[in-house]
Amino acid sequence: MNGIRLIQCLRRLPYDYCIETVGEIMNLDQINIALTEKYQTPCRDGAKRHIIFWYDAEGDFQEVVDELELPEVKLWKLTESNKFLSKYTLEVLDPNSHYLIYADFAKPDDPDNWLLDIQLYSHTFIADKIALIMDDLKVENSALRSVFKNYEKFFQSRERYARFAAYSLESYTEETIDIGVLSALAKRPTPNFEDALRVILMNSLQEEENTVWQAIVKYGIADGFWNLTEKYYGYLAPEKSLKGLLTFLMINDLSNGLTRTLPSEWQELVAAKQANCVVFLDHFMHHSADSKVYDKLAEEIEADLHFGEYLEHWDIQDYEQVDLFRAADRSIILKLTNSLLIGSEEFTKYQEIISLRKTKHYYQEFEDYYEALSWAIEMYAFRKKYKAGIPERDALMFFEAYAKEYFIMDQAYRKFCVSFDKVRHSDVLKPLSAEVENLYTNWYQAELSVKWSATVAEECSTTWPIQGIPPQEGFFQNMIQKALYDNKKSFVIISDALRFEAAEELMQRLNKEIKGSTELRWMQGCIPSFTRLGMASLLPHTTLTMQGDDVLIDGISTKDTSGRRKILQANVKDSEVVLLNDLLPMTRTELRNTFKGKSVVYIYHNVIDSVGDKGDESKTFQAVEQAFDEIEGAIRTINKNLTEANIYITSDHGFIYRRKPLEESDKTTKGDTIPHLTNKRFLIFDQEVDLPGAINLRLDYIFGRDCGLSVCVPRGDNRFKTPGGGQNFVHGGASLQEIVIPLIKYRNDRKKDERMVISKVDVKLTNTSRKITNSLFSLDFFQTEKLVDKKVVRTLKLYFTDEAGQKISNEQRILADRVSEKASERTFKVSFTLKNSNYNKTDKYYLVLEDPDEPLKKIYEKIPFTISLGIVNEFDF
């Protein structure tokens, strides 16, 4: 007889319905209903009766089976000793009656089943949940019944069962079931022990507070969990705990990352399966969503291990590759700081260490510390180069030396202060800050300003400017007038107090962030280097005159926008003057209406001078950063909304600024003189004056022979004794920081020109072999060109995957930011660790180079490899 078994009927229903119906074990009423319905179903294929076998493996119903109420159905109890009688009764003595054959033991294997021929044309009834679950999941291996039985409470929940069933495990073994149950309790989308373990550890390292762990214990999977941690990671401990497990994993990672022997008390925890420990923690700390939780857990283990105390006695080279704990970065920062403070001069080595840390997990958190250190190192390296002092030169060579090299000290000092201000609450860099201040003020400024002042006093004692350097007052004639002759539109951005070193950084930013060609030049500023004179000198003019504190062109004041507009439009009819802050919020229509038909536009910007001179001078360097953003925003606006044009970025003057308070020796007295105009850095007289401690210049070079005016500026970086505050930020004198005027020429040619397009440097794998024979190995990479002009940094994440895209290695990073001409200095050696796994020699595996900064195409390159480790490992993930 053939027919559809009751379980097949039940299988067509959703499993959650089966759970509702069956419960933990189907009750007697439910069994009665299910069997009655089956017996009332018409027989098929010519059969005259129903025979249903019920194997109750656990004997749950042996005491109540007699209570079933099945009309016209005979109950027959099968035993180990009545098999022949059962067969004889069913086939000979009573071949017509309906029968329920009940056995309080498991169904025998086919060779031992006396009633197999009858069962083949009969039906089987299942009343226990475990059998129903196994049948529903298509688990054919009856030996796994005990495993499912152990997790019987786990499967009572519709939600848990549905998640487990959705995994659709390819094969059922005790291990895959354990991983499936753990993954379901951890609510993972796929059955993966690494993912489940991460979630378990994230919940809490204290078992009594860990809700996932409590569920693991409740549903009987704790032993399975520890078995898996032993198999996958080698974790063996007399007293196992989640904190102990994470500590074990981290010590094994340290064993791999340190270049020194582990402390003896840790060595007993080192396992043979380090690779999996390394890869697990690497994936954890780089996980997009879970890395912050990792940081908290790592801080707890770091404290338990007293890791920071060990680092005090180790060399940086011992742990420079370690990024498990913040303590590594804290220690490196402290040791580099102390090295600088005690006079150590291994500057190249220090910068290499900082460059290495840029690719590590906690760099972003400590970036301001490392940036401050890096700029301090630049300053110390400069001092080492000029240990004998900045050489005396003639004025032209001195000026050009500053514009080509010396400016880096001012830039490094500013960048140090910007970074230091962000971590000022920390005591770590405070001693270094004091030394940097001393280095900048007492050595560099003293060397530079005193020797430069001596040169100016000697060579320019009668007049200004220096021969051979374009003067600021010739800007319009030399640059804008020439562009007009060539029918080219010009936008001129004049940023008040944008000194040369800041403009150099701005130029680098524009090169890296905006399409177009960028060139930095320099001009010599006017003396005195103050706003009224600097702004006037950049406008078209034949002669300038001074009236009070105002500078006039053709009798028109240059103090404000309206006067400057009149002067510009008197010389260039189709011109306009605007404030940069008014330009930035303009709509496309407003921009076009304002600048339509204009061949010259002057854009005035005042952030640095406004903050330093009239606001809080301690925020001068922050104002420089703000100026960068606003100028870059203006250029983007012009590029996007207006026609092609040359854009010039320049300033009226630079400035001197230091953090260290002035002493009495930093101030120069004006004696009993009565200046026409008084400033902290200059005094203007209506006659020639020879003031001690000052450089005295006639102003006929700018105002004409009959002006009768002269100026005195203090030597070095001194200030004149004047009432009021604001002594640290000053301008008006003749220092190089004040009078080396930047001129950035930027052009965005809308024609296709690869030289104007920003592109990242390329990175190539140089190893010729594509075969991996060891689970720990290194690969070599090459940055094909140096960073220059429009070639910018490329950041790459590197890792290996299998053909399914699953990561099988740790993740490494390359920061391709090398500026060296030498190819040998643009190489990277990167170490990888493969998971322990059964790698197939014929399968393809891939080295993935991923650019995380790309918005769409993140995969930079994907290189196929084969893996042949020689020894087949015992497990895989």
Side-chain angles (χ1 to χ4, degrees):
M1 295 176 64
N2 294 313
I4 301 175
R5 297 182 298 124
L6 175 60
I7 187 61
Q8 291 173 318
C9 298
L10 292 173
R11 186 185 286 170
R12 289 197 296 267
L13 300 175
Y15 181 71
D16 59 337
Y17 174 83
C18 295
I19 294 295
E20 274 192 322
T21 303
V22 177
E24 184 173 351
I25 299 177
M26 293 176 71
N27 64 43
L28 201 60
D29 289 339
Q30 292 167 336
I31 293 172
N32 218 68
I33 292 170
L35 288 173
T36 298
E37 289 179 354
K38 186 57 187 172
Y39 282 112
Q40 290 177 351
T41 302
C43 297
R44 295 182 180 181
D45 301 324
K48 297 179 180 179
R49 65 172 178 171
H50 290 296
I51 298 177
I52 297 177
F53 284 81
W54 177 6
Y55 288 100
D56 180 12
E58 306 297 330
D60 293 320
F61 292 94
Q62 59 182 329
E63 295 182 2
V64 296
V65 68
D66 292 319
E67 299 176 20
L68 289 172
E69 298 178 1
L70 300 172
E72 300 181 0
V73 176
K74 294 182 178 180
L75 174 65
W76 182 271
K77 294 183 180 179
L78 185 64
T79 67
E80 294 291 344
S81 59
N82 71 353
K83 296 172 183 176
F84 177 79
L85 178 60
S86 299
K87 187 177 181 69
Y88 184 74
T89 300
L90 292 172
E91 292 187 338
V92 179
L93 298 180
D94 188 2
N96 298 314
S97 299
H98 296 300
Y99 271 92
L100 173 63
I101 312 299
Y102 173 81
D104 61 0
F105 51 83
K107 177 184 175 183
D109 294 333
D110 288 352
D112 300 322
N113 192 348
W114 279 57
L115 305 180
L116 180 61
D117 56 338
I118 298 175
Q119 282 186 264
L120 290 176
Y121 62 79
S122 302
H123 307 279
T124 302
F125 176 69
I126 300 174
D128 71 283
K129 178 183 174 183
I130 301 306
L132 185 61
I133 290 170
M134 293 177 67
D135 194 73
D136 185 67
L137 294 173
K138 299 182 179 62
V139 180
E140 298 179 355
N141 185 355
S142 60
L144 293 173
R145 177 182 174 81
S146 60
V147 179
F148 280 96
K149 180 65 177 176
N150 187 53
Y151 302 142
E152 188 171 354
K153 288 179 66 177
F154 166 85
F155 286 111
Q156 286 178 10
S157 162
R158 298 187 212 176
E159 180 184 350
R160 290 193 296 270
Y161 178 83
R163 185 174 288 114
F164 182 92
Y167 293 153
S168 300
L169 299 179
E170 292 183 6
S171 63
Y172 286 91
T173 64
E174 184 172 353
E175 180 176 321
T176 62
I177 295 168
D178 285 350
I179 292 175
V181 170
L182 286 167
S183 298
L185 290 175
K187 298 183 178 179
R188 305 313 298 153
T190 58
N192 183 291
F193 182 54
E194 179 181 310
D195 283 353
L197 176 57
R198 185 176 69 251
V199 171
I200 294 165
L201 293 175
M202 285 170 57
N203 194 272
S204 176
L205 295 183
Q206 307 302 319
E207 284 87 348
E208 64 274 11
E209 299 174 4
N210 189 314
T211 56
V212 181
W213 180 255
Q214 293 302 314
I216 287 171
V217 173
K218 178 178 180 180
Y219 298 115
I221 184 62
D223 288 342
F225 171 81
W226 294 124
N227 290 338
L228 289 169
T229 60
E230 178 183 344
K231 182 174 184 179
Y232 281 76
Y233 303 106
Y235 178 55
L236 287 168
E239 298 292 331
K240 295 182 175 66
S241 68
L242 295 180
K243 179 179 276 194
L245 171 60
L246 184 56
T247 303
F248 164 85
L249 293 169
M250 289 185 163
I251 286 176
N252 276 271
D253 194 309
L254 286 173
S255 178
N256 180 72
L258 291 171
T259 57
R260 58 163 293 122
T261 305
L262 285 177
S264 57
E265 57 267 36
W266 296 355
Q267 290 179 12
E268 63 184 21
L269 293 177
V270 177
K273 297 168 183 176
Q274 281 181 10
N276 284 357
C277 301
V278 171
V279 174
F280 171 79
L281 291 173
D282 183 85
H283 290 177
F284 195 171
M285 72 169 64
H286 290 116
H287 193 278
S288 59
D290 300 340
S291 60
K292 295 300 181 185
V293 182
Y294 167 85
D295 295 347
K296 293 180 180 179
L297 297 176
E299 192 168 12
E300 187 173 342
I301 303 303
E302 174 193 313
D304 289 347
L305 292 175
H306 301 284
F307 186 61
E309 296 175 21
Y310 286 103
L311 297 181
E312 293 176 10
H313 308 289
W314 297 349
D315 293 331
I316 291 177
Q317 286 69 30
D318 292 338
Y319 58 92
E320 63 183 359
Q321 293 286 357
V322 172
D323 60 354
L324 284 175
F325 304 122
R326 290 181 177 89
D329 290 283
R330 293 191 185 103
S331 177
I332 289 171
I333 290 165
L334 182 60
K335 289 183 178 180
L336 290 181
T337 300
N338 289 336
S339 294
L340 293 175
L341 292 174
I342 64 174
S344 180
E345 295 183 337
E346 297 180 90
F347 303 126
T348 300
K349 173 183 170 183
Y350 302 156
Q351 293 288 28
E352 287 174 352
I353 292 170
I354 293 172
S355 181
L356 172 64
R357 297 309 295 181
K358 287 181 180 180
T359 64
K360 300 304 180 184
H361 176 62
Y362 291 107
Y363 176 76
Q364 203 167 19
E365 187 173 326
F366 293 96
E367 181 176 6
D368 294 320
Y369 292 90
Y370 282 121
E371 279 290 299
L373 275 170
S374 183
W375 289 110
I377 291 167
E378 286 287 335
M379 295 176 70
Y380 278 95
F382 183 94
R383 185 184 64 176
K384 181 181 179 182
K385 182 176 180 179
Y386 292 101
K387 205 164 191 176
I390 293 175
E392 296 178 353
R393 309 167 185 256
D394 63 41
L396 175 60
M397 292 181 65
F398 222 137
F399 191 101
E400 291 182 341
Y402 179 84
K404 293 176 181 178
E405 181 185 5
Y406 298 167
F407 76 87
I408 190 64
M409 279 293 281
D410 294 297
Q411 189 177 83
Y413 174 68
R414 174 174 60 83
K415 298 295 286 183
F416 173 87
C417 290
V418 168
S419 296
F420 175 73
D421 286 348
K422 295 176 183 177
V423 296
R424 183 180 292 274
H425 61 279
S426 170
D427 292 333
V428 176
L429 295 181
K430 285 182 179 178
L432 181 62
S433 176
E435 287 301 310
V436 164
E437 194 68 42
N438 180 62
L439 172 62
Y440 180 75
T441 303
N442 295 342
W443 180 80
Y444 169 70
Q445 276 287 70
E447 277 286 311
L448 183 72
S449 61
V450 170
K451 290 181 177 178
W452 167 250
S453 293
T455 298
V456 171
E458 181 179 345
E459 293 188 27
C460 310
S461 59
T462 57
T463 188
W464 186 259
I466 304 166
Q467 298 302 308
I469 304 172
Q472 184 181 35
E473 60 268 27
F475 166 75
F476 186 87
Q477 184 69 30
N478 296 335
M479 304 303 297
I480 308 305
Q481 193 67 59
K482 185 177 182 300
L484 287 169
Y485 289 151
D486 295 336
N487 291 318
K488 293 179 179 177
K489 294 187 176 183
S490 298
F491 286 81
V492 181
I493 299 175
I494 304 172
S495 185
D496 203 328
L498 180 71
R499 68 181 182 180
F500 184 82
E501 62 83 9
E504 195 276 341
E505 182 182 353
L506 175 60
M507 183 268 293
Q508 297 290 352
R509 279 183 55 161
L510 296 178
N511 263 335
K512 292 174 173 57
E513 297 177 15
I514 299 181
K515 178 184 176 183
S517 62
T518 310
E519 177 187 4
L520 176 62
R521 306 176 185 179
W522 49 83
M523 304 180 290
Q524 57 181 315
C526 300
I527 297 178
S529 53
F530 76 118
T531 300
R532 300 288 167 75
L533 184 55
M535 290 296 185
S537 67
L538 292 169
L539 287 164
H541 65 274
T542 303
T543 60
L544 303 175
T545 58
M546 192 163 188
Q547 189 176 83
D549 65 347
D550 195 6
V551 178
L552 310 180
I553 297 176
D554 297 331
I556 301 173
S557 170
T558 60
K559 275 185 178 181
D560 54 29
T561 303
S562 61
R564 295 169 189 173
R565 181 181 291 109
K566 289 178 185 178
I567 295 166
L568 186 60
Q569 290 180 347
N571 288 268
V572 183
K573 186 176 181 180
D574 52 343
S575 61
E576 185 55 274
V577 171
V578 297
L579 299 179
L580 186 142
N581 288 344
D582 291 337
L583 179 146
L584 287 175
M586 284 185 183
T587 65
R588 187 183 185 91
T589 301
E590 289 171 335
L591 286 163
R592 293 194 169 181
N593 290 340
T594 303
F595 301 116
K596 184 178 181 181
K598 308 301 182 187
S599 57
V600 178
V601 177
Y602 270 44
I603 304 168
Y604 289 95
H605 180 231
N606 186 9
V607 172
I608 302 170
D609 198 62
S610 177
V611 171
D613 213 8
K614 303 176 184 64
D616 182 354
E617 63 178 357
S618 68
K619 296 180 179 178
T620 296
F621 290 157
Q622 287 91 327
V624 173
E625 301 286 323
Q626 180 183 341
F628 292 162
D629 293 337
E630 292 179 359
I631 294 170
E632 186 175 334
I635 293 173
R636 290 185 186 277
T637 298
I638 294 169
N639 281 348
K640 183 178 179 181
N641 298 289
L642 301 171
T643 57
E644 183 181 312
N646 290 331
I647 300 176
Y648 301 92
I649 306 163
T650 189
S651 67
D652 50 350
H653 56 75
F655 63 87
I656 297 173
Y657 176 72
R658 73 188 215 191
R659 294 283 175 87
K660 186 177 180 182
L662 271 70
E663 298 176 3
E664 194 62 26
S665 59
D666 297 317
K667 299 175 183 178
T668 299
T669 180
K670 64 179 181 177
D672 56 1
T673 61
I674 304 175
H676 172 73
L677 185 62
T678 301
N679 183 280
K680 295 181 181 66
R681 280 286 287 167
F682 68 89
L683 303 173
I684 293 180
F685 298 91
D686 53 12
Q687 60 184 341
E688 286 192 51
V689 174
D690 186 9
L691 188 66
I695 299 171
N696 309 292
L697 297 172
R698 295 198 304 270
L699 292 179
D700 53 4
Y701 83 94
I702 189 77
F703 294 125
R705 290 185 180 181
D706 299 329
C707 70
L709 299 175
S710 67
V711 63
C712 293
V713 296
R715 287 176 178 262
D717 63 348
N718 272 23
R719 282 73 159 160
F720 283 118
K721 289 184 178 181
T722 55
Q727 298 285 331
N728 289 60
F729 175 93
V730 291
H731 59 84
S735 74
L736 288 164
Q737 293 96 331
E738 293 166 297
I739 58 94
V740 178
I741 304 299
L743 176 58
I744 299 173
K745 183 180 179 181
Y746 167 83
R747 183 174 180 81
N748 182 11
D749 193 334
R750 296 182 185 272
K751 298 175 184 177
K752 291 186 176 180
D753 186 344
E754 292 299 321
R755 294 171 300 176
M756 294 189 182
V757 177
I758 300 166
S759 62
K760 297 178 181 179
V761 293
D762 284 320
V763 176
K764 297 299 179 185
L765 174 68
T766 59
N767 303 76
T768 55
S769 173
R770 296 294 183 266
K771 184 177 182 179
I772 299 170
T773 58
N774 199 310
S775 60
L776 301 175
F777 61 97
S778 296
L779 295 175
D780 296 315
F781 298 85
F782 175 58
Q783 180 183 316
T784 59
E785 60 244 299
K786 70 174 184 176
L787 260 63
V788 63
D789 296 330
K790 295 297 180 181
K791 287 294 181 181
V792 300
V793 175
R794 186 186 293 276
T795 301
L796 291 173
K797 292 197 301 186
L798 293 80
Y799 51 87
F800 280 83
T801 71
D802 58 21
E803 288 189 294
Q806 295 294 314
K807 286 185 181 180
I808 59 172
S809 76
N810 62 327
E811 178 185 296
Q812 294 282 32
R813 284 181 179 256
I814 285 178
L815 182 65
D817 63 349
R818 306 292 169 83
V819 296
S820 175
E821 290 278 2
K822 297 179 181 178
S824 60
E825 295 178 357
R826 300 199 306 273
T827 61
F828 306 86
K829 183 176 287 291
V830 182
S831 299
F832 293 93
T833 302
L834 290 180
K835 286 180 177 180
N836 291 348
S837 185
N838 293 318
Y839 296 109
N840 192 322
K841 296 178 181 180
T842 62
D843 287 349
K844 286 291 184 185
Y845 301 91
Y846 296 93
L847 168 63
V848 178
L849 284 70
E850 178 184 328
D851 187 335
D853 299 324
E854 286 294 318
L856 297 174
K857 188 180 178 182
K858 292 188 177 294
I859 302 303
Y860 173 71
E861 192 171 6
K862 193 174 180 180
I863 304 170
F865 274 77
T866 58
I867 299 178
S868 178
L869 300 184
I871 299 175
V872 178
N873 295 295
E874 64 178 318
F875 59 85
D876 87 31
F877 275 83

